[in-house]
Amino acid sequence: MRSDLMKKGVKRAPHRSLLKALGLSDEELSKPIIGVANSSNEIIPGHIHLTRVTEAVKAGIRMAGGTPMEFSTIGICDGIAMDHRGMKFSLPSRELISDSVELVAQATPFDGLVLVSNCDKITPGMLMAMGRLNIPSVLVSGGPMLAGSYRGKPIDLVTVFEAVGGYNSGKISESELKEIENLACPGAGSCSGLFTANSMNALSEALGLSPRGNGTVPAVYAERIRIAKEAGKLVMELVKNDIKPRDIVSNDSFFNAVAVDLALGGSTNTVLHLKAIADAFEIDFSIDLFDELGRKVPHICNLSPVGNHHIQELYEAGGIYAVLKRLEGGGLIKGDAMTVYWKTIKEMIESSKVLNDDVIRPLDHPYHESGGLAVLYGNIARKGAIAKLSGVPEKMLYHKGKAVVFEDGELASERILAGDVKEGDVVVIRYEGPKGGPGMREMLSPTAALVGMGLMNSVALITDGRFSGGSKGAVIGHVSPEAAEGGIIAVIENGDTIEIDFKNRRLNLLIDKKEINGRIKRFAEFKTKETNQLLKRYSHFVRSADTGAVFDRL
C-alpha cells in the first residue's frame, strides 16, 4: 500500500505515534488510508453543507474497510466575487486548489482519494489534481440548489442579476427587486441553472470520474448522501484493484464530455476547464473538438439561463446518464470509455431511461440543430474565441455593428446601465484576459445589464475575459490572443465595424489590413499595473485562454 511509506516498519514508529495522536488505532492504521479533500466553507451556498456530505463519504470508506483522513481546501463563490476586484482571484484559485490537494496527497501518501467539491473553480481544480496525482480517486459534488419561485415562476441567481437591469430601466420596482432577491436562492447547493458549477459536475460523470447522479441529484435530497457513501465505497474498490484516474480517462472520455456539454448547452467556462484538466492528465485535447462535434451533436436540453428548465428537472428526466443514452442512440459518444465503476459508459447507461422528452429531447427534435457551444475564428480571434450558441437570439446569428470599447467590465456595466450603449452596437471589453486582468474575470454583470436594458436582441459583446454560465445573448469570450498579448482586440477603436457570423464561426474587425498592422506597430508592450503579489505572479506564469489558462510548464 502507498500509505506504508508513512506507517509500516520499525523506522515508522514516530510516524505512527503522530497518527495515533489523532486517535487512530493500530487496526485503523492497518487498513488502506483514504484522503478526503473537503472544500466545505461558510462562504459558498454550494459548500455550506459539504461537511455532511464528507461525513457520508467517510462512512462509505469505513463500510468498505478503509480509514478516512479528512483535510481541507479553499473555495471562492463566483457570484459573490462578481463585478468587483474579487473576481480577479477566482480563476487563480483553481490552480491553488489543485496545488493544495497535490501538496497534501504527496506529503501524506494516501492509498486513495475522494474529492468533495461543488462550485466553479473547485471542481475543475480537484479534477486537475486527480490527473496530476494519479492515485485511485473519485470526485463527488454537493449537488445543485433547488430553483426559487417568484409569483409562480421558477427563478435563480441570474434572475436577480437581470432584475438589476430591469430596475435601472424602470421595468420593475425596488420592492419587486427585493422580492426576487429574497426568493431566487432558496438554500444549499450550486446555483440551480446550467451554470459553470453544474456544468462541470455533470461533465465529471461524462468523464467517468464521479458516481452516477453526481451532476444532477439536488443538494437537499437524501439521495445526495447515499451518493457520497457510494463514492467512499467506490474508491475502496479502485484501491483494491489499483485502478488510477489515468487508467479510466482517455481521449474518448473527453470526446464524451464535449458531446454532453454540447447537448446540454453548458457554460463557456467548460472549454477553459476541460482543456486544463486534459493538460493535467497529459492528454492532447484541442478546443477545435467543440467545433467539430458542435456541427454533429444537437442541443437537446434547454436549461437556465437560456431555457426554462433547471437542474432538478434534468435529474427527474433521468440525469446525465439519460443524456448519454440519448446520444449513444445516435452514435454520438464513445461507449468503450471507462468509469470509476470499472465498467464502460455503454454498460453503465444500459439501464438508463429518458423520463421526459421535453427536458431531454429526441435527437430528431432538438432545441437547436447545432450544439450549445461554438468556437469562432477570425482576425480578432486568431487562436479562437468561445460562444454559447444556444443562448444567441436567432436575429443575432449574424451581426455587424460599431465597436464601443471598454478597458474593464465594471465600467462597461456602468455605461450600459447609463444608456451609453445603443441598438446595433458591439460592446468590446478588453484587458480582462488571464494575463491582462489578471485573472480573467467573468462578465455576467455586463451581459445581464444588456438583458435588463432590453438590448439582448440588438447588441453583441466580445471580450478576452470570460462569462458566467449564467450569461446569455450574442456574447463571445475567451478571445485569443488576449489584449495583453498584443491580440487584435487590443487595437480596436470606438466606431470600428465588427462582423460576427455565428453560423460560419467567424469574428472579424472590418478595417483595412494596413491600418490594423499600423495600429499593432504602435501598440505598447503590456506591463501589468497590478500590485498584488499573487496576481502579479499569476499574470507572469499564466498562458492564454486557448490553452485552458494553465501555467507555463517549467
Side-chain angles (χ1 to χ4, degrees):
M1 289 190 291
R2 189 169 181 267
S3 61
D4 286 349
L5 291 170
M6 65 176 175
K7 69 181 186 183
K8 190 173 183 180
V10 173
K11 290 184 178 180
R12 296 295 181 254
H15 303 66
R16 289 193 298 274
S17 182
L18 288 168
L19 292 167
K20 287 178 179 180
L22 303 173
L24 294 175
S25 65
D26 284 324
E27 182 182 357
E28 287 172 303
L29 291 176
S30 70
K31 298 175 180 179
I33 306 293
I34 309 299
V36 181
N38 179 9
S39 57
S40 174
N41 61 48
E42 295 182 355
I43 302 168
I44 313 174
H47 290 234
I48 190 70
H49 64 305
L50 289 191
T51 294
R52 185 171 180 230
V53 174
T54 301
E55 288 301 320
V57 167
K58 293 192 287 186
I61 291 168
R62 292 189 183 102
M63 283 190 286
T67 298
M69 294 185 73
E70 180 184 337
F71 64 98
S72 61
T73 65
I74 65 161
I76 288 172
C77 178
D78 277 23
I80 294 172
M82 191 72 65
D83 204 29
H84 60 83
R85 179 172 168 77
M87 181 51 74
K88 290 178 179 286
F89 295 87
S90 176
L91 187 58
S93 78
R94 184 190 70 180
E95 314 309 307
L96 185 57
I97 290 159
S98 182
D99 287 349
S100 67
V101 172
E102 184 176 11
L103 283 167
V104 174
Q106 293 285 20
T108 314
F110 301 123
D111 297 301
L113 195 61
V114 178
L115 301 131
V116 184
S117 178
N118 215 18
C119 289
D120 298 65
K121 307 306 168 294
I122 301 93
T123 294
M126 288 185 165
L127 290 171
M128 289 163 66
M130 287 175 70
R132 285 156 54 176
L133 285 163
N134 201 36
I135 62 175
S137 304
V138 177
L139 179 133
V140 63
S141 79
M145 185 187 293
L146 296 175
S149 179
Y150 175 66
R151 301 183 183 182
K153 294 182 179 180
I155 61 172
D156 52 42
L157 179 64
V158 171
T159 312
V160 190
F161 276 97
E162 292 173 356
V164 172
Y167 170 73
N168 276 281
S169 62
K171 294 178 181 178
I172 64 171
S173 67
E174 186 175 358
S175 63
E176 288 174 309
L177 175 60
K178 187 70 172 180
E179 192 176 354
I180 292 169
E181 171 191 326
N182 289 337
L183 296 172
C185 299
S190 48
C191 297
S192 58
L194 190 65
F195 314 141
T196 305
N198 291 326
S199 296
M200 288 309 305
N201 290 329
L203 297 190
S204 71
E205 286 191 65
L207 285 169
L209 293 172
S210 62
R212 181 201 298 259
N214 183 67
T216 59
V217 174
V220 296
Y221 284 16
E223 187 178 352
R224 177 56 55 181
I225 300 304
R226 294 196 294 273
I227 288 174
K229 291 177 181 176
E230 182 182 24
K233 291 189 285 186
L234 277 171
V235 76
M236 290 300 296
E237 282 297 310
L238 296 176
V239 169
K240 178 182 176 182
N241 294 289
D242 194 30
I243 298 168
K244 303 178 181 70
R246 294 191 185 191
D247 299 323
I248 296 167
V249 173
S250 64
N251 287 92
D252 286 353
S253 307
F254 282 90
F255 183 101
N256 292 341
V258 172
V260 169
D261 202 6
L262 293 164
L264 294 175
S267 164
T268 53
N269 282 319
T270 57
V271 182
L272 199 70
H273 297 321
L274 284 176
K275 180 71 177 174
I277 293 163
D279 183 78
F281 275 84
E282 297 185 1
I283 286 176
D284 186 21
F285 172 76
S286 170
I287 62 172
D288 289 339
L289 184 60
F290 281 88
D291 189 56
E292 176 191 335
L293 290 183
R295 300 172 189 271
K296 301 174 184 177
V297 177
H299 176 222
I300 58 175
C301 300
N302 210 30
L303 300 161
S304 175
V306 300
N308 294 322
H309 298 137
H310 287 82
I311 300 298
Q312 67 209 62
E313 292 162 280
L314 180 58
Y315 160 70
E316 291 162 1
I320 300 306
Y321 275 24
V323 175
L324 284 161
K325 180 86 167 184
R326 189 74 97 191
L327 295 175
E328 193 249 354
L332 296 171
I333 65 161
K334 304 285 188 180
D336 291 335
M338 294 303 296
T339 69
V340 287
Y341 295 90
W342 204 236
K343 293 181 180 180
T344 65
I345 285 284
K346 187 172 183 178
E347 289 174 311
M348 290 300 301
I349 64 176
E350 281 179 1
S351 60
S352 297
K353 295 180 180 178
V354 175
L355 304 176
N356 187 322
D357 283 338
D358 188 44
V359 176
I360 308 174
R361 282 194 173 180
L363 297 178
D364 60 1
H365 182 54
Y367 285 98
H368 299 94
E369 293 293 335
S370 297
L373 296 172
V375 182
L376 283 72
Y377 288 95
N379 62 7
I380 295 177
R382 184 169 47 83
K383 293 184 179 180
I386 308 298
K388 191 167 186 173
L389 204 58
S390 58
V392 179
E394 185 73 25
K395 66 180 294 184
M396 293 294 289
L397 289 174
Y398 179 86
H399 182 75
K400 189 187 291 185
K402 300 296 183 182
V404 183
V405 182
F406 300 100
E407 305 298 324
D408 68 70
E410 290 162 276
L411 180 60
S413 295
E414 179 185 319
R415 301 323 304 165
I416 291 168
L417 293 173
D420 290 354
V421 173
K422 310 298 183 185
E423 289 188 9
D425 287 342
V426 177
V427 174
V428 178
I429 305 175
R430 63 191 178 198
Y431 292 103
E432 288 284 12
K435 187 176 293 291
M440 204 179 183
R441 293 194 296 177
E442 291 184 347
M443 300 291 120
L444 177 55
S445 289
T447 59
L450 289 174
V451 174
M453 296 293 285
L455 295 171
M456 187 179 82
N457 293 311
S458 61
V459 172
L461 185 152
I462 68 172
T463 180
D464 53 8
R466 59 193 176 88
F467 296 115
S468 161
S471 292
K472 60 184 176 182
V475 298
I476 301 167
H478 303 207
V479 170
S480 300
E482 62 173 294
E485 292 187 324
I488 297 296
I489 192 172
V491 298
I492 297 173
E493 296 179 359
N494 285 317
D496 285 348
T497 300
I498 294 173
E499 181 184 45
I500 303 169
D501 186 345
F502 287 101
K503 287 186 177 179
N504 293 303
R505 314 294 204 266
R506 304 301 295 170
L507 175 62
N508 285 300
L509 176 63
L510 299 184
I511 64 172
D512 184 74
K513 189 173 182 180
K514 186 176 180 180
E515 171 65 18
I516 292 177
N517 290 337
R519 292 184 190 180
I520 290 173
K521 286 179 181 178
R522 295 192 297 271
F523 176 76
E525 183 180 352
F526 173 77
K527 291 183 180 180
T528 183
K529 297 177 183 177
E530 182 58 58
T531 58
N532 178 272
Q533 286 298 309
L534 186 153
L535 291 178
K536 284 178 72 174
R537 186 167 68 247
Y538 181 81
S539 180
H540 179 78
F541 285 107
V542 74
R543 295 159 64 191
S544 63
D546 63 291
T547 71
V550 296
F551 285 165
D552 280 323
R553 288 187 179 273
L554 300 178

